[in-house]
Each structure stands twice: as C-alpha cells, then as structure tokens.
Amino acid sequence: MSVAIEEAHNGVIENHGGPFGAVIVKGGKIIASGHNEVLKTNDPTAHAEIVAIRQASKLLGRFDLSDCEIYSSCEPCPMCFAAIHWAKIKKLFYGCTQKDAAEIGFDDEFIYNVIKGKSVPEKVKVEMINRTECLEVFKIWENKTDRKQY
C-alpha cells in the first residue's frame, strides 16, 4: 500500500491528476503501478487502477489477472471497480473511502445512484438504435470457435 500512496503523491506533485495511486501485485511482487493521469493525458479513463491494470496486462500479455491483487490508495470508483472485475482480480485492498474522495471533490454518488436504479436527474441521454445490425456482430462472435472467454 505504501507504493500506491507514493504513486498518488507523485501524481499530485507532478499535476498529472487526482490524488490516487494503485499497484498490482503477483506472487508477492509489484508488477505494475500507476497514478491518476487524467490531467496529463486528457483521458477521463486514466485513473490509477486503470493505468496499473493496463501496465500489468501488457507485461503479462493477457487480460486475465486472476493471479494478481490490487492495492489502491482509495476505494475505486465504479469504472475502476468494473475494470478490476473484468481483469478478474480476486483481491482488492484500499485506503481511503468513496466518502473521503467525495469530501475533496471526487463525488461519484450520482453514478452509484444510477447503478442502484435510484432516480437522479439524467446526465446522459440514452437511446437504443440499430440493434439488429449490432446483433449481427454478436452472432459472428458466438459462432467463432477460437474465441477466448473472459
């Protein structure tokens, strides 16, 4: 966790983004680390956990990180938690809470409310279009014999 905290600190000092750091550990050794780089890259998905997951996946040459653990200086936002899930990471350790993050301006409450199905003012208009055409690609995927499951 101390390296995740150091990453968060470095990111803030370098003005790369918010005060968040993460490391990925495999077999007791750190294989990837990152801090929030949203401001540095102008990429709203460049959160610490995402940066670390991308590094670890590239290093290992696979998206399945089920033999790894992640340490985050703060409880992950919904996007990062989903990425941790999709990477199949089995254990998450975190320091600060989502409430701590909200108190300094990183409030994801509206996203949590949408996920929970609570009524909130719409921030994104959602409309389904071209389902039939989109399903054609699903059918191609479904019929592939060499596909990897995730």
Side-chain angles (χ1 to χ4, degrees):
M1 182 61 83
S2 62
V3 176
I5 295 167
E6 185 178 327
E7 278 285 346
H9 182 263
N10 291 341
V12 169
I13 296 303
E14 295 172 19
N15 200 33
H16 286 177
F20 308 102
V23 297
I24 296 185
V25 174
K26 180 179 184 286
K29 295 185 179 172
I30 295 173
I31 62 164
S33 64
H35 56 261
N36 184 294
E37 296 183 2
V38 169
L39 298 177
K40 175 184 174 186
T41 62
N42 289 315
D43 177 354
T45 69
H47 291 195
E49 297 88 347
I50 303 290
V51 170
I53 288 169
R54 288 175 179 162
Q55 279 183 15
S57 294
K58 185 175 182 178
L59 174 77
L60 297 175
R62 55 188 162 90
F63 64 84
D64 183 341
L65 304 179
S66 58
D67 55 348
C68 299
E69 299 173 335
I70 189 165
Y71 292 75
S72 179
S73 64
C74 186
E75 185 175 3
C77 73
M79 176 185 68
C80 291
F81 186 77
I84 291 165
H85 168 79
W86 286 118
K88 300 184 178 196
I89 296 172
K90 301 258 191 279
K91 186 76 177 185
L92 159 68
F93 300 91
Y94 68 90
C96 296
T97 67
Q98 64 179 279
K99 184 179 179 208
D100 296 327
E103 288 175 0
I104 63 164
F106 295 90
D107 190 355
D108 297 328
E109 189 64 28
F110 71 95
I111 299 173
Y112 290 107
N113 285 337
V114 169
I115 291 168
K116 294 174 187 173
K118 293 183 179 180
S119 177
V120 295
E122 257 186 25
K123 293 190 181 238
V124 176
K125 298 279 186 204
V126 178
E127 181 179 344
M128 183 174 67
I129 62 171
N130 299 87
R131 179 173 179 262
T132 302
E133 294 88 339
C134 294
L135 281 172
E136 290 302 317
V137 183
F138 278 29
K139 290 175 187 173
I140 293 168
W141 171 260
E142 189 175 45
N143 292 325
K144 282 183 63 135
T145 57
D146 63 340
R147 66 181 176 178
K148 293 181 180 178
Q149 289 293 354
Y150 54 103

